[in-house]
Amino acid sequence: MEKKILRVKIDTKDENAFTRLVLEEHLDMAGERRDKDGKIVAEAYMLSTQLEKLRESGINITVLDEDAAKTGRQRQKQVSSVNRFAFGDRSPSPPSGFGKKV
Amino acid sequence: MSNLDSYLSVNEVEDSIAALAQAYPNTCQLIKLPNPTTEGRICHALNVGRGLVDSSKPAALFTGAVHAREWGGSEICVYLASDILEAYERKTGLRYEGDGEGKYFTADQIRSIVDNLNVIVFPCVNPDGRNYSQTVEPLWRRNRNPTESGGNPDCIGVDLNRNYNFLWDFPNLFFPNTVRTSADPCDWLSQTYRGSAPSSERETQNVAWLLDNYPTISWHIDIHSYSQLILHCWGDDENQSVDPQMNFANSAYDRKRGKKNDDYKEYVPADDLSSCVSLADRINDGIKAVNSNGYTVQSAFGLYATSGSGQDYSHSRHNALPGKNKVFGFTIEFGTEFHPPWEEMKSVIREIDAGLLEFCLAVQE
């Protein structure tokens, strides 16, 4: 059965508690920043059971995406399904980047 | 179909740089990496420049897609190379536009990069992982090595950015409960399994091979997502420039590393640190011209303690291994999610490519 993964935002000023939770709960951490006032704002991907434990710890958590894997599967549709640079009878045109040649 | 409609598949990453090598034979060279992946993929890098044989010219290495789900690093590398090559061939400059004032690189500046520097792009370090993320499990982070899995699909894969030979043995080298690395292949929740040994993975070995075989490489930028950060050394602890003996190779400091605001801090000569910060700031200058918010420049440890990272491995080699060239290591964490919607990713490519070009100018000064 596919696991349902939530994308959450965590914010806290308690560095030690945060680090302990990351390691104890084996959190899959993603974006993370520390503001100048020492506040940690981080994003993590987790199961709902992990979310419950984090909420019990008192850390401020906001769910950003109830089903991050579903969102990811939508992004998979934005991956090319053909090979635009395949070498066959003719050499492919090389890729052209996003800078304007001026 | 336009080149620019969608993310590149793993086959496209390989064939796109092969197509560049064929289209611009005088200004780039394909480099075949020696270690096939677990799933049998052969990887290539592309050198943009007059050739790595000329040892008088320094080289910069840009790596992408170390982490499977961080797709856009490949696009950033491929389209950077194609921009430089096409602009050089057509004798034009390059303009990158965004919500900032925009960034323009003149034809002379493009020529200086090709003529004075070698820019090695290795766009897809982890093609097995990328393919799996793009076709099966989008949040996959690791490679696809099943060796330690015991047949459990959750236990497949190694976090390549914990596998490099830099303080890999974290339980014995770091203060307890500080570093975000796992020694358990079945830690599928955190996905930070370090592997069975330092540089055990073929993908990691390929990056090390580039550093070994092209000793003119003086800078390594590892492109990841996300958080809009530019990270410089070190990742294992805070920096200090006072005591050279307090360093990663000194066993007297084992089990002391990784804790914030304690006595142990990782040694970096003041000039080196200044260079790192200055170059990171220049990358940000290029980014800010396109994305007016810019990114945050900080040490990797300012994020959290890591072991086995590519950035730190690159920077450690000249101290850890006799005769190795000094390499300044950086990490860029682009964007605000692992694989943004493609329309948003196009903007990210513009800002990061502008940042990398600004970096290429800065290292020539």
Side-chain angles (χ1 to χ4, degrees):
Chain A
M1 184 189 301
E2 189 177 63
K3 304 172 187 71
K4 192 171 178 187
I5 305 289
L6 299 100
R7 176 183 176 186
V8 307
K9 185 175 87 167
I10 299 168
D11 61 83
T12 178
K13 281 196 174 185
D14 190 338
E15 178 90 46
N16 290 334
F18 174 68
T19 300
R20 188 173 60 248
L21 273 167
V22 169
L23 294 174
E24 286 177 0
E25 297 303 322
H26 303 275
L27 297 184
D28 183 0
M29 299 305 300
E32 193 165 328
R33 304 176 68 94
R34 275 146 181 78
D35 291 346
K36 287 177 184 166
D37 64 356
K39 186 167 126 180
I40 303 163
V41 180
E43 291 188 17
Y45 293 74
M46 60 183 66
L47 302 172
S48 58
T49 48
Q50 291 174 292
L51 176 64
E52 285 158 21
K53 281 191 184 174
L54 259 66
R55 284 199 162 132
E56 284 167 12
S57 73
I59 278 193
N60 191 26
I61 296 175
T62 308
V63 176
L64 300 175
D65 189 338
E66 295 273 354
D67 193 343
K70 181 180 177 184
T71 302
R73 287 194 296 279
Q74 291 300 314
R75 300 287 156 76
Q76 287 175 339
K77 296 175 185 175
Q78 296 183 342
V79 177
S80 176
S81 58
V82 298
N83 186 343
R84 292 162 285 184
F85 308 105
F87 282 75
D89 293 337
R90 292 165 54 184
S91 295
S93 296
S96 187
F98 289 86
K100 290 188 178 177
K101 284 74 180 177
V102 292
Chain B
M1 175 188 291
S2 162
N3 287 349
L4 309 176
D5 283 353
S6 53
Y7 280 98
L8 299 166
S9 67
V10 293
N11 289 343
E12 286 191 315
V13 174
E14 278 295 312
D15 285 351
S16 65
I17 59 173
L20 287 172
Q22 187 165 89
Y24 304 106
N26 295 324
T27 45
C28 66
Q29 307 86 38
L30 212 55
I31 302 170
K32 181 179 172 182
L33 282 304
N35 300 295
T37 65
T38 304
E39 293 180 356
R41 292 184 170 89
I42 304 288
C43 299
H44 291 80
L46 183 75
N47 179 54
V48 176
R50 291 294 185 183
L52 290 156
V53 175
D54 184 349
S55 60
S56 70
K57 292 182 185 167
L61 171 63
F62 302 153
T63 47
V66 166
H67 285 142
R69 57 194 176 190
E70 298 164 19
W71 303 346
S74 300
E75 282 76 0
I76 285 166
C77 287
V78 168
Y79 292 127
L80 173 73
S82 62
D83 272 350
I84 295 171
L85 291 166
E86 184 178 349
Y88 184 90
E89 178 91 353
R90 293 171 55 183
K91 298 181 172 54
T92 69
L94 281 168
R95 178 178 292 285
Y96 293 90
E97 294 174 345
D99 72 347
E101 61 191 23
K103 183 68 184 172
Y104 180 61
F105 299 95
T106 67
D108 282 347
Q109 288 176 322
I110 300 302
R111 190 178 314 118
S112 78
I113 291 171
V114 176
D115 290 348
N116 300 329
L117 201 59
N118 283 297
V119 178
I120 305 172
V121 299
F122 184 6
C124 193
V125 173
N126 181 12
D128 294 351
R130 178 187 174 93
N131 183 63
Y132 191 74
S133 173
Q134 288 185 325
T135 60
V136 182
E137 198 168 325
L139 295 174
W140 192 264
R141 171 181 165 100
R142 297 160 277 171
N143 72 358
R144 294 292 297 165
N145 186 357
T147 305
E148 305 295 316
S149 69
N152 183 343
D154 284 341
C155 306
I156 291 173
V158 172
D159 183 344
L160 298 173
N161 211 33
R162 302 290 184 271
N163 184 245
Y164 288 93
N165 189 10
F166 175 76
L167 295 177
W168 178 88
D169 185 19
F170 72 91
N172 292 314
L173 301 176
F174 282 82
F175 193 89
N177 299 318
T178 52
V179 69
R180 297 203 199 160
T181 304
S182 177
D184 180 4
C186 291
D187 186 358
W188 61 269
L189 287 168
S190 76
Q191 295 203 70
T192 55
Y193 173 55
R194 63 178 175 171
S196 58
S199 288
S200 58
E201 304 309 296
R202 301 171 192 189
E203 296 90 346
T204 318
Q205 293 163 19
N206 280 339
V207 177
W209 183 90
L210 283 169
L211 292 166
D212 284 337
N213 285 275
Y214 298 102
T216 55
I217 293 173
S218 297
W219 309 275
H220 172 204
I221 300 180
D222 199 19
I223 302 167
H224 290 254
S225 56
Y226 58 93
S227 273
Q228 297 182 318
L229 299 168
I230 303 164
L231 308 175
H232 59 79
C233 68
W234 288 100
D236 68 302
D237 211 295
E238 291 147 325
N239 294 325
Q240 56 88 9
S241 301
V242 174
D243 183 358
Q245 298 307 312
M246 188 181 286
N247 65 67
F248 65 88
N250 190 341
S251 61
Y253 295 103
D254 289 351
R255 297 198 175 90
K256 291 182 165 58
R257 302 177 183 92
K259 208 172 172 205
K260 289 194 177 179
N261 303 318
D262 67 341
D263 291 338
Y264 182 85
K265 297 178 200 318
E266 191 61 51
Y267 177 70
V268 53
D271 286 351
D272 284 356
L273 183 58
S274 177
S275 294
C276 285
V277 173
S278 173
L279 288 172
D281 283 341
R282 285 291 293 273
I283 296 172
N284 203 25
D285 287 344
I287 290 173
K288 267 193 291 194
V290 180
N291 175 349
S292 57
N293 290 322
Y295 281 27
T296 299
V297 173
Q298 62 182 72
S299 75
F301 183 76
L303 207 54
Y304 48 78
T306 53
S307 61
S309 77
Q311 166 197 309
D312 280 349
Y313 169 71
S314 295
H315 192 53
S316 71
R317 286 162 47 96
H318 66 286
N319 286 321
L321 303 166
K324 296 299 181 187
N325 190 45
K326 185 188 293 184
V327 178
F328 291 110
F330 304 86
T331 302
I332 293 177
E333 297 276 0
F334 68 78
T336 56
E337 47 189 309
F338 288 130
H339 31 260
W342 178 243
E343 280 306 306
E344 185 181 324
M345 188 65 220
K346 290 195 287 188
S347 299
V348 175
I349 293 167
R350 290 188 192 95
E351 71 199 30
I352 301 300
D353 281 353
L356 293 174
L357 282 169
E358 186 65 23
F359 173 87
C360 290
L361 296 179
V363 298
Q364 296 181 62
E365 293 170 6

